[in-house]
Amino acid sequence: MTSVIENRQTDTAQLTVEPIAGYLGAEVSGIDLKDDITAQVGDALRDALFEHKVLFFRDQRLDHDQQIRFTEYYGPVTGAHPLGYTDKSPAGFPEILEVDSRTYASRAGGRQYSYASFWHQDVTALVNPPAVTVLRAELVPEFGGDTTWADLAAAYDNLPASLQRFLEGLNAENRFGGRAPQWSDGSESESLTRDKPIISEHPVVRVHPVTGRKLLYVNPGFTSRIVGLSARRSDRILDLLFDEVTNPAYTVRIAWTPDSVGVWDNRATIHLAPTDLGHLDVVRVLHRTTVEGDIPVGVDGRKSNSVSGEPFLSTRR
C-alpha cells in the first residue's frame, strides 16, 4: 500500500512512501535529496523512518557534502567511526566511512566486500550507539551485493509473554566482535580493538526513545554475553535470541543501484552486509554517515553503562 504524505511537497514533486516488506522497509520517491528540505518534509521523512525503520531513495546523485547535509536532518552527524579508520574517510570528510571493496585484504577464495559481513547493528559497543545510519551507493555490481535488515521490534513482539518478561530484567555486554571476533591475527581490527577497547552493557530489551516500542536489543556482531550468567547459560540464551532476531520473516532485502541512498533506524534494526560476492571480480563502493545516538533505556528505566570507552558525539555543535 502506497502512502502519499499530503501537503508536504518539495519544489518539484510529491513525497511518496511505498512499503516493500511485511514488517519493515519502504522506498521513497518524489524528492531530490540535493535540494533544501523544508521543515514539513523533514518531519515527514523522520516520521517515515520511525514507522518503516528502513528507507530507500533511488537516483540520488549526491556528493559528500550533500550526503552529510541530508544526514543532519536526522540529527547531529558523528565522525566516521569511533575507532578512527581515518584511512577509510575521503580527504576532507572525516564524517564519512568509505566502504570500498578495493581497500580490503583478499581472503582465501575471494574478496571481502564489507568490513562487517555478518549480522550486526552499527557499533553497539558504544554506550550511545548511532541512532541513524545513511549509506550511499557510488559503485555497485550489476547483480548481487544486496543488504538485508531485520526488525528488532517484530522480534520482541513475537516472543511469548513469559520470555519477554524474563528478558526485560537482563543486561548484555557488547564489544567489537561479539562472542567470536571474525578478524585475523595481526589485522587492523584486532589491533584497534585491543589498543582502544570499547565495551558497554545494554538492556536486552530496549525502549525506543521516539516510538516507545520495545526492541530485542542484541546482535551477533557485538553482543558477547548476558551479564551475571555463566558462559554456558549465556550462550544458550544468546543462541536463542540471535536465531529470533535473524528470522527471515522479520527481514527486508534490498538491491543497491548506482546513486541509491539507504537510511535505517539503527536502534530498531540489525543488518547483514553481502556475502555473495567473494568469488566475483567486481567493485562495490558505498559511503556511510551516522547520527549521534542516545543512551539506551530498558523497560524498567535502567540505562546502559560504559565499561570502557567514551560516548561517541558529533563534533558539529
Side-chain angles (χ1 to χ4, degrees):
M1 180 175 61
T2 301
S3 63
V4 177
I5 301 175
E6 297 177 355
N7 300 319
R8 293 175 174 177
Q9 297 182 339
T10 65
D11 292 337
T12 58
Q14 194 171 51
L15 191 66
T16 301
V17 181
E18 186 171 2
I20 53 177
Y23 279 103
L24 77 168
E27 293 220 5
V28 182
S29 59
I31 186 171
D32 188 336
L33 300 182
K34 293 193 303 294
D35 295 340
D36 289 334
I37 295 175
T38 66
Q40 282 186 321
V41 172
D43 288 344
L45 292 177
R46 285 186 289 273
D47 290 346
L49 179 63
F50 297 135
E51 178 180 356
H52 298 287
K53 303 178 183 68
V54 181
L55 302 180
F56 238 68
F57 304 79
R58 302 289 183 181
D59 302 318
Q60 302 288 336
R61 191 175 292 275
L62 305 181
D63 59 25
H64 297 322
D65 266 325
Q66 290 163 340
Q67 176 175 350
I68 293 169
R69 186 178 65 176
F70 169 66
T71 306
E72 288 175 334
Y73 286 104
Y74 289 99
V77 179
T78 68
H81 198 281
L83 290 178
Y85 289 121
T86 54
D87 61 322
K88 295 181 176 63
S89 291
F93 298 95
E95 301 89 352
I96 291 179
L97 180 69
E98 191 166 67
V99 184
D100 187 336
S101 61
R102 295 168 296 190
T103 68
Y104 295 115
S106 296
R107 291 180 171 180
R111 300 182 179 188
Q112 182 179 352
Y113 282 85
S114 175
Y115 70 96
S117 296
F118 43 82
W119 280 107
H120 67 285
Q121 285 169 276
D122 285 329
V123 207
T124 57
L126 291 165
V127 71
N128 66 325
V132 175
T133 299
V134 176
L135 193 60
R136 168 174 59 94
E138 179 182 341
L139 297 173
V140 293
E142 293 183 6
F143 54 86
D146 301 353
T147 299
T148 305
W149 288 265
D151 186 337
L152 297 177
Y156 172 85
D157 289 345
N158 286 288
L159 292 174
S162 58
L163 182 53
Q164 291 175 342
R165 290 192 297 270
F166 169 69
L167 297 174
E168 288 170 7
L170 301 179
N171 278 1
E173 179 186 86
N174 284 249
R175 61 170 67 226
F176 281 89
R179 292 189 293 180
Q182 298 184 35
W183 49 72
S184 57
D185 292 342
S187 67
E188 179 186 28
S189 294
E190 183 197 40
S191 62
L192 285 172
T193 55
R194 180 188 63 240
D195 298 340
K196 188 180 178 182
I198 302 175
I199 306 168
S200 296
E201 294 177 353
H202 298 304
V204 169
V205 179
R206 173 185 186 172
V207 178
H208 195 286
V210 177
T211 67
R213 297 284 300 278
K214 295 179 181 179
L215 310 167
L216 192 50
Y217 201 62
V218 296
N219 70 92
F222 285 91
T223 306
S224 54
R225 65 185 180 93
I226 303 294
V227 177
L229 298 185
S230 68
R232 175 176 171 273
R233 288 173 176 168
S234 173
D235 283 343
R236 292 289 183 89
I237 292 172
L238 288 180
D239 286 343
L240 169 68
L241 299 184
F242 291 163
D243 184 63
E244 193 64 27
V245 297
T246 59
N247 184 334
Y250 311 144
T251 65
V252 61
R253 178 170 175 165
I254 301 178
W256 294 94
T257 51
D259 301 321
S260 55
V261 175
V263 183
W264 62 91
D265 186 341
N266 191 56
R267 295 172 289 208
T269 63
I270 61 173
H271 58 281
L272 177 66
T275 57
D276 64 335
L277 297 177
H279 62 297
L280 301 176
D281 185 15
V282 295
V283 174
R284 185 177 184 268
V285 181
L286 303 98
H287 306 279
R288 193 191 80 173
T289 44
T290 54
V291 170
E292 180 183 311
D294 53 304
I295 296 176
V297 177
V299 176
D300 61 358
R302 291 175 297 115
K303 288 188 174 182
S304 299
N305 65 282
S306 174
V307 176
S308 177
E310 300 298 322
F312 191 44
L313 304 177
S314 171
T315 58
R316 296 189 172 201
R317 294 289 180 180

